[in-house]
Amino acid sequence: MLMPHPAVLRALVDRYEAATASEPLDSAGGPGPEARDLEYTLCVSTGTRDVRAALETARRLLAASAPAPAAPAPAGSAATGPGPLAEPAGAAC
């Protein structure tokens, strides 16, 4: 399976979370059109058929791609690095 670039995957998860939080439900009470499109894209990107599985896979892939924590810096030196990634939540493709 092809692996999605972590930055692309993070953007998809963030956009999906924003859409499910702000987009009105459709007439049947399901997710709106943007959330449905993002569900599909997350499923395709992660090789899954359910958005819950897609989000779990995305979390796993994002955690695996995160840089390892740096060893404590010796006294008197400055150490910087990226922060941890947030965890997403889910529905069905």
Side-chain angles (χ1 to χ4, degrees):
M1 173 175 91
L2 293 175
M3 303 299 283
H5 190 280
V8 172
L9 191 56
R10 167 56 44 208
L12 284 171
V13 170
D14 290 347
R15 285 180 54 205
Y16 175 75
E17 289 175 338
T20 57
S22 65
E23 188 175 40
L25 299 177
D26 66 10
S27 61
E34 182 180 7
R36 281 193 311 270
D37 288 347
L38 290 163
E39 287 175 2
Y40 175 81
T41 304
L42 278 165
C43 288
V44 170
S45 297
T46 58
T48 59
R49 296 180 58 90
D50 175 79
V51 76
R52 286 182 190 94
L55 291 166
E56 288 173 18
T57 301
R59 280 188 214 107
R60 190 176 67 251
L61 292 171
L62 290 168
S65 70
S77 67
T80 61
L85 298 171
E87 294 289 322
C93 293

